[in-house]
Amino acid sequence: MLPAHPLSGKRVVLGVTGGIAAYKAAVLLRELQKIGADVRCVMTPSALRFLGRDTMSALTRQPVPSDVFPDDADISESWSRHIHWAEWADLVLIAPCTANTLAKITHGHSDNMVTSLVLAARCPVFLCPTMDGGMYEAPATRMNRELAKELGFQLIEPDHGYLASGLEDTGRLPEPHEIISRLAGFPGFTDYKPLLGKKVTVTAGPTREYADAVRFISNPSSGKMGVAMAVAARDLGAEVTLIHGKLSVPVPAGVSAVPIISAGDLFEAVKAQHEVTDIFIMAAAVSDFRPKQRALHKVKKEGAAMNIELEPTPDSLKWLGENRLDHQILIGFAMETENLIPSATEKRKKKKADYIVANSISGDASGFETDENEVHLIGPLGEPASYKGSKEDVAFSVLRAVFGNEVERG
Ligand code: CTP
């Protein structure tokens, strides 16, 4: 049986503050519940303008207080709720945490249920600073972020991307799975770190093989599965290097990134990691062919040849299989449109990998550019095991399945 999620059974108080990202807190709450956390919710009065109290109350089956002294409740019962809930919690998570609440928390204010509960908490408190425009980099906010770290709060940095104002900047609330994986990776919450002390190299995303200055052969890989594998390896204790083509998601925190463009670059980067890597996870969607010639400038229509001569690219996984060091473990991926299991089983043997994670790209809900995936883990022993769900969950399941058991090479 797989070990439980590190947050399973943990008591979480989710504090929601008044930014537009508050609407995402309901999904975050559901995701926390799905992995077995017992969640209660508190909201600031301004959060109530973005998200209904009743929504969070129905989901948690608990009251959702916003004031320490509510107008409409029996004070004798509720006035010390900020203390009791703070004592009850194993962790407090403020998501989103506005610039205003960050400023209040770092200066000891206790003027509403969220700030009072944070002040009373003795457990780890995680803050997700989430704001728009120049607010995140404003000198005052920057100072408060530094102060928050000094005071022992755990900061989960925001993503860069499109903000509600229409600007593109840093300040987006990270996706629920990324927040949860940061919580799960907190050393205090789990001693299940089977990859502690291990160096893991993950490849992710597509390669580009240029024919001239602007045209290239590629594929629609988003890199999400490889990034999810990197996050899972990081959270299971590994030191992770991510060799990646163009990604549609950010490089996760706590992971060293090596950007590459072509299959040739990927091969060089993999070889550079060879001596120092214990586990390779090869999730990149590598182009098998590249144009034999690359024109320096954009080729003009007039007089252009109608054929592009191709040559094979180096196969990094195959090279690793043939040059493997004794202690190394190789996990490859196989994208297939037909004969999924037989083809992937054959690929495992041909490339001398320990495991192949096989996924079909023929369905709508798995493969390129999706958030969900269904994979089959083909190893040296027994029948393939199947995992289905978000790419993050699938990545965790695969690594736990592999590193919960001794690897025997076949
Ligand atoms: N791979 C690699 N270098 C390549 C091609 C593939 O390292 N030049 C790795 C992929 O990252 C993956 C595995 O090999 O882990 C299988 O990739 P896939 O594209 O499914 O298989 P191919 O070997 O390219 O075989 P085919 O395209 O014929 O199915």
Side-chain angles (χ1 to χ4, degrees):
M1 228 186 48
L2 296 177
H5 191 282
L7 295 182
S8 168
K10 288 275 182 287
R11 294 179 299 218
V12 179
V13 173
L14 172 63
V16 185
T17 72
I20 179 62
Y23 80 93
K24 296 184 182 170
V27 177
L28 176 60
L29 165 58
R30 291 294 292 145
E31 294 300 320
L32 284 163
Q33 288 175 326
K34 272 196 224 160
I35 53 172
D38 184 359
V39 192
R40 296 179 183 176
C41 179
V42 293
M43 297 172 76
T44 60
S46 47
L48 295 170
R49 299 188 62 151
F50 294 103
L51 179 68
R53 189 199 301 273
D54 289 349
T55 305
M56 301 306 263
S57 191
L59 291 173
T60 56
R61 303 202 189 112
Q62 290 279 341
V64 175
S66 51
D67 286 308
V68 176
F69 301 109
D71 291 340
D72 54 352
D74 179 356
I75 290 293
S76 65
E77 256 185 36
S78 64
W79 80 269
S80 55
R81 189 173 275 149
H82 59 299
I83 305 294
H84 291 140
W85 283 23
E87 293 291 325
W88 170 86
D90 294 316
L91 80 100
V92 173
L93 167 66
I94 311 299
C97 180
T98 58
N100 187 36
T101 295
L102 177 70
K104 286 183 187 175
I105 285 175
T106 47
H107 291 81
H109 290 225
S110 54
D111 60 342
N112 62 42
M113 190 64 187
V114 171
T115 52
S116 303
L117 188 138
V118 166
L119 196 58
R122 297 182 221 240
C123 61
V125 178
F126 292 78
L127 308 176
C128 295
T130 307
M131 51 208 77
D132 209 324
M135 294 173 90
Y136 185 70
E137 289 299 346
T141 306
R142 218 180 309 156
M143 212 169 68
N144 289 335
R145 275 161 34 211
E146 288 309 312
L147 185 54
K149 285 186 218 162
E150 273 171 43
L151 294 173
F153 293 105
Q154 306 297 320
L155 256 69
I156 298 180
E157 304 297 340
D159 283 347
H160 185 92
Y162 286 105
L163 301 169
S165 61
L167 297 177
E168 188 181 343
D169 217 326
T170 299
R172 273 168 60 94
L173 186 67
E175 294 304 316
H177 62 77
E178 183 58 23
I179 295 175
I180 289 172
S181 96
R182 286 294 306 281
L183 300 178
F186 183 66
F189 294 150
T190 176
D191 46 12
Y192 183 68
K193 298 276 179 196
L195 298 183
L196 202 63
K198 299 283 182 210
K199 295 209 162 87
V200 172
T201 296
V202 181
T203 67
T207 62
R208 286 181 176 182
E209 312 303 330
Y210 278 87
D212 69 12
V214 293
R215 302 181 178 97
F216 54 82
I217 299 173
S218 192
N219 60 68
S221 166
S222 62
K224 283 182 190 164
M225 192 63 219
V227 166
M229 295 299 290
V231 167
R234 177 198 72 192
D235 291 348
L236 293 174
E239 197 182 307
V240 181
T241 300
L242 180 67
I243 300 173
H244 67 88
K246 196 167 166 46
L247 300 175
S248 73
V249 286
V251 172
V255 163
S256 314
V258 180
I260 55 97
I261 309 249
S262 67
D265 300 340
L266 184 116
F267 187 53
E268 293 308 318
V270 163
K271 284 200 293 187
Q273 283 296 113
H274 183 229
E275 296 284 328
V276 295
T277 298
D278 300 302
I279 301 160
F280 277 100
I281 301 174
M282 307 293 282
V286 186
S287 174
D288 291 327
F289 302 99
R290 64 185 170 205
K292 218 165 178 177
Q293 309 286 345
R294 174 179 175 170
L296 268 184
H297 300 287
K298 187 179 168 219
V299 171
K300 289 283 173 204
K301 201 159 40 184
E302 214 101 315
M306 288 297 122
N307 297 311
I308 300 177
E309 202 180 339
L310 300 176
E311 64 180 7
T313 55
D315 188 326
S316 297
L317 179 57
K318 192 154 173 281
W319 184 87
L320 287 172
E322 287 163 358
N323 293 276
R324 118 184 3 249
L325 304 179
D326 270 354
H327 66 284
Q328 273 175 344
I329 293 175
L330 306 181
I331 304 177
F333 275 68
M335 280 268 187
E336 309 288 347
T337 50
E338 53 186 359
N339 296 329
L340 180 61
I341 305 289
S343 303
T345 306
E346 187 51 34
K347 227 168 243 183
R348 189 182 85 82
K349 281 209 193 111
K350 215 168 66 189
K351 302 208 182 195
K352 297 189 172 69
D354 295 298
Y355 290 89
I356 286 281
V357 182
N359 68 324
S360 166
I361 45 174
S362 45
D364 284 348
S366 65
F368 288 136
E369 293 180 307
T370 60
D371 291 329
E372 302 278 310
N373 211 355
E374 180 174 12
V375 305
H376 310 276
L377 179 64
I378 300 171
L381 303 170
E383 290 291 299
S386 302
Y387 305 98
K388 192 174 176 179
S390 68
K391 287 186 170 169
E392 292 69 31
D393 288 350
V394 166
F396 254 101
S397 303
V398 165
L399 290 190
R400 286 180 192 188
V402 171
F403 296 105
N405 305 307
E406 277 297 307
V407 177
E408 273 181 47
R409 294 199 186 109

